[in-house]
Amino acid sequence: MFKPAKQNRIYQDVVEQIQEAILEGQLKVGEQLPPERKLIEMFGVSRGTLREALRVLQQKGMIEIKTGVSGGSIIKGVTAESFSENLALLIRYQKVSLQDLADFREGIEGTVAALAAERATAEDIKTLTSLYDQSVAAFAAGPEQWDTAIRCDEQIHLALARISGNSLFITVLETVYLNIHTYYESYLPMSESVLAENINDLKVIIEAVAAKDATKAHDRACHHIRKFAGFMDRKKG
C-alpha cells in the first residue's frame, strides 16, 4: 500500500500517502493503521518522522491515536465534523478578520437566500415569520432584550440555510452562527438605529423568500451582510 517516502519532504509525503489511501477507500473508517514498526519499514523513515506525520493526520481529524496495549492509529476519515471544529475555533477566537468573515458570509449567504426563495414551503415561511416576530418583540422590549433580538437574527440566517437544502451550506453556516456572537459582542454597535435597520433588512429578505424572488433575496442578503460588516468595522476603528 505504501512506498518509501521522498527524501526532500519526508513527513509531508507520509501524510499525503496515508491521506490518499483514506480518501480512495483503501483504508476504511474504523480500521487501524499497521503497527508503528511496520509503518517505519514501509515508508523508510525514522520513528520521529512517522510520529510527526501521524500528529498532522490527527490534527486534520483523519485518524485518532490511542495509547495503551490495544492502542494504535484508528482511521476516522474525512468528516464535516472535523472541518466544523476547525472553523468554529477560528471564528470563536476571532482569528478571522472582519473583512474576510464578511466576504465569506456574503459569498455563501447570497446563494443560500436565493436557494431558500426557490425552495421554501409554506411551513418554512411560517418558521421565518415566527422568528422575525420574536426578533421584533425583543427589539421593542428595550435594550435589555436587544441581545435576544440578535440571537433571533442568527436563527433566521440558520433557518434560511436549512431551507436551502444544501448540506454543505447548512454545515458551514451552523458553525458560523454558533460562534459568531463573539464578533457581535465586540464590534456590533448596539444602538436603536442599527438594530432597527437589522429588523428592516430581515423583513425585506423574508418577503423576497416568501415571494420566491431569488434575485431580490440574493441581493438583499448580500447588502445586509456588507452593511453590518461596515458597522462592525467602523466600531473596531
Side-chain angles (χ1 to χ4, degrees):
M1 184 187 304
F2 301 125
K3 57 187 179 183
K6 297 176 182 177
Q7 296 302 303
N8 61 335
R9 51 188 185 97
I10 305 178
Y11 89 89
Q12 294 101 320
D13 193 68
V14 173
V15 169
E16 288 172 9
Q17 287 195 56
I18 296 176
Q19 187 171 268
E20 185 175 345
I22 294 172
L23 292 172
E24 291 186 349
Q26 297 175 48
L27 292 170
K28 310 292 185 185
V29 174
E31 288 184 355
Q32 188 166 318
L33 282 173
E36 185 177 271
R37 181 179 300 175
K38 180 65 175 176
L39 287 172
I40 289 171
E41 292 176 0
M42 295 170 77
F43 288 116
V45 297
S46 68
R47 178 175 295 167
T49 295
L50 176 66
R51 289 183 174 178
E52 184 176 8
L54 295 178
R55 279 196 296 270
V56 171
L57 289 162
Q58 184 177 38
Q59 288 168 357
K60 289 185 173 189
M62 300 189 79
I63 66 171
E64 179 183 2
I65 299 175
K66 294 185 176 181
T67 58
V69 177
S70 59
S73 299
I74 311 300
I75 306 302
K76 291 181 66 178
V78 180
T79 65
E81 180 182 351
S82 58
F83 166 76
S84 295
E85 288 173 356
N86 291 332
L87 180 59
L89 290 172
L90 289 173
I91 296 173
R92 190 179 310 144
Y93 293 98
Q94 298 183 19
K95 299 301 183 182
V96 180
S97 72
L98 283 172
Q99 185 60 55
D100 285 350
L101 183 60
D103 291 343
F104 180 73
R105 290 178 60 205
E106 185 178 340
I108 291 177
E109 295 199 49
T111 301
V112 161
L115 288 173
E118 294 172 356
R119 300 173 180 177
T121 64
E123 194 61 34
D124 292 330
I125 301 304
K126 286 182 182 178
T127 298
L128 291 171
T129 301
S130 175
L131 289 169
Y132 172 76
D133 289 343
Q134 291 173 46
S135 184
V136 170
F139 173 63
E144 290 185 357
Q145 293 298 315
W146 286 354
D147 186 70
T148 300
I150 293 298
R151 296 284 184 178
C152 290
D153 166 281
E154 294 167 7
Q155 289 303 311
I156 289 171
H157 286 281
L158 284 175
L160 289 169
R162 292 174 187 131
I163 293 167
S164 78
N166 185 296
S167 61
L168 286 175
F169 288 151
I170 294 168
T171 296
V172 169
L173 289 182
E174 282 181 344
T175 302
V176 168
Y177 281 103
L178 287 173
N179 295 280
I180 200 173
H181 214 72
T182 58
Y183 283 87
Y184 293 159
E185 290 171 349
S186 298
Y187 306 120
L188 184 64
M190 295 292 280
S191 68
E192 186 172 5
S193 62
V194 167
L195 292 182
E197 285 200 50
N198 186 61
I199 293 290
N200 185 65
D201 284 355
L202 295 176
K203 180 182 179 182
V204 173
I205 293 168
I206 292 171
E207 287 176 345
V209 171
K212 296 194 174 298
D213 189 336
T215 299
K216 184 175 181 180
H218 175 280
D219 292 347
R220 297 309 300 178
C222 290
H223 176 73
H224 174 66
I225 298 297
R226 282 196 303 270
K227 178 166 56 176
F228 278 80
F231 287 151
M232 289 192 285
D233 192 54
R234 284 193 289 276
K235 182 178 179 181
K236 181 181 180 183

